[in-house]
Amino acid sequence: MSNQPVYDEPNLSQKEIMEVLAGLLSMLFVAMVSSTIVSTALPTIIGDLHGNQTQYTWVVTITLLMMTVSSPIWSKLSDLFDKKLLVQISGVIFLLGSLAAGFADNVPQLLCARGLQGLGVGGLMALAQSILGSIIPPRERGRYSGYMAATMAVATVSGPLLGGLLVDTLGWRWCFWAAVPISLVGLGMLQKFLHLDTVRRDVHIDWWGAGLIAVAASLPLVWVSFAGKNFDWASRETGYLLVPAVLAVIALVFVERSHPEPLIPPKILLEKTTMLAIVASIAVGIAQFGTSVFLSQFFQVAQGFTPTEAGLLMLPLILGSMVGATVSGQLITRTGIWKPYMLAGTVILIAGLMLMGPTDHTTPVWHLSAYMILMGVGQGTLMQNLVLVVQNTVDVRDIGAASGVVSFFRSLGGTVGIAVLGAILTNRVGDHIASGLQAKGLPVPDDATGGGNLDLDKVPEPFLTIIRHAYGDSTGYIFVVAGVIAVITLVAVWMMPVTELRTTVRKEEKEDALGLEQAID
């Protein structure tokens, strides 16, 4: 007789699903907005707190890093404990981080608060996908995943607009405090409408796996941020950071293979569809988070727009993301076919990124708007559908871990992407500023580089014009880098085996029986 826990197939009406979804999406929206709302506010925040370009990047990176590290932990906990309680705990953590960030008086305090926000965001992201996978069959999930993907896409790229409006009206601290009332509404709706069966099972928390994931994910980011500036790329300091990271990855493999409840289950990770979705997600994460962060900086620093104007200029990206997410979700639900739509979305994403490559400080805004629409359509088509395809390969008992694996690597891609692209931008800006000053016969001060102070209100002419042109002429290059990486996504999606989306939350009994026989063998 099987010892597998019994899971009753849920039978929720569309109205009941939408009530749950409304609470999830409201929490998910503020969580995602927290990652990007600071992008238009960052020039003001960093200037006010007397920070530099490296700290500029880390205000975003620290949140994504904590989200990345904690996401698989939250996902695994959702397979072991009450999902409703967990999503409420993560919501409260996010609220505390938001309040603390608004009261920050210096960059180190802000980074700590942003890390706490990231811990909550990781829970909200992972648990929203896990809960959705627990109540809706994959075939029907396309429709609802479209709503979730649209929310994530809109939050990702509307954050800069909201941030710009708040900075120009109430001040940058409200970029963090504004999340509090929306989060409270979302928590209230989940308390009232979300009712899930909790499958009781023996709990074995993979603490070693959690620690090793944190080391393996964080040390390379620290290295990328400081190598080439604080120490040489090939140096003793590089070894201090990268050798422990490599050892952590090796140790993680052994820990996850032997642990009874691993955070990243090998049986899920080694499945072909999941492996390819992971590869695809890394590049999607780079495009998703990197574009919104650095585009907003381009509009403000390179072209001199206000935070509100920079946010408005991001609207084409919002529109494209909404269209890509909702249309692809509806088509997948109607047809049960997913691969052609994801291939088309990847091609569109690559085209948009590559077209952004020649961007400089003279590029017309309407050109950028057209390219942003393409990037948005591609991002929206891919984000949630990659999770959907992986969820279709596992039973509901492992839905949290499966969802978390894809989300983890997408967030990791975004985190690494912002750190790497930020480092590239910093170096190129520094070179352009130095050459610009030399061309005018001006001295090159130590702080007139990409890592210098971003409080441009205090920069006199002709230094200001040189700095603006340097940012404008450097930004296009990082989109080319992102476009080249996105080609990997195209190859990964192309290689994914074609599968039909099932119409039940649980896998078919014959599939379960086959899996049990294989496990016994």
Side-chain angles (χ1 to χ4, degrees), residues 267-337:
K267 66 177 181 179
I268 294 175
L269 194 62
L270 296 178
E271 204 276 331
K272 183 177 181 180
T273 299
T274 304
M275 290 179 65
L276 292 171
I278 286 171
V279 174
S281 296
I282 293 174
V284 171
I286 292 174
Q288 175 189 357
F289 295 105
T291 52
S292 61
V293 170
F294 295 113
L295 266 177
S296 179
Q297 185 180 26
F298 171 82
F299 285 131
Q300 292 184 70
V301 177
Q303 298 196 336
F305 290 104
T306 66
T308 300
E309 291 169 341
L312 290 171
L313 290 170
M314 299 287 285
L315 285 175
L317 198 59
I318 300 175
L319 176 62
S321 297
M322 291 179 61
V323 171
T326 54
V327 172
S328 64
Q330 292 291 336
L331 290 173
I332 289 173
T333 296
R334 292 176 186 176
T335 64
I337 299 171

Side-chain angles (χ1 to χ4, degrees), residues 144-269:
Y144 300 103
S145 294
Y147 298 147
M148 182 173 288
T151 300
M152 293 169 64
V154 171
T156 300
V157 293
S158 65
L161 173 58
L162 295 174
L165 291 171
L166 290 171
V167 168
D168 286 340
T169 54
L170 300 176
W172 63 262
R173 297 184 185 277
W174 282 96
C175 291
F176 306 108
W177 294 336
V180 175
I182 302 176
S183 298
L184 291 175
V185 171
L187 286 171
M189 294 185 70
L190 290 176
Q191 176 64 31
K192 181 176 181 180
F193 296 115
L194 180 58
H195 306 287
L196 292 173
D197 292 332
T198 301
V199 180
R200 299 297 179 185
R201 52 198 282 192
D202 293 335
V203 176
H204 303 278
I205 300 178
D206 184 10
W207 296 114
W208 277 106
L212 291 170
I213 287 173
V215 172
S218 58
L219 291 184
L221 297 179
V222 176
W223 173 67
V224 167
S225 297
F226 295 102
K229 295 186 292 292
N230 298 76
F231 51 83
D232 294 334
W233 291 96
S235 63
R236 182 180 301 176
E237 289 81 2
T238 292
Y240 290 156
L241 292 171
L242 293 190
V243 171
V246 172
L247 294 176
V249 172
I250 296 172
L252 181 63
V253 172
F254 287 99
V255 169
E256 299 304 90
R257 291 179 62 182
S258 61
H259 199 279
E261 292 287 353
L263 288 175
I264 305 179
K267 66 177 181 179
I268 294 175
L269 194 62

Side-chain angles (χ1 to χ4, degrees), residues 48 190 281 323 332 349 356 381 405 441 449 475:
D48 191 29
L190 290 176
S281 296
V323 171
I332 289 173
L349 174 61
M356 290 289 291
T381 303
V405 164
T449 65
T475 303

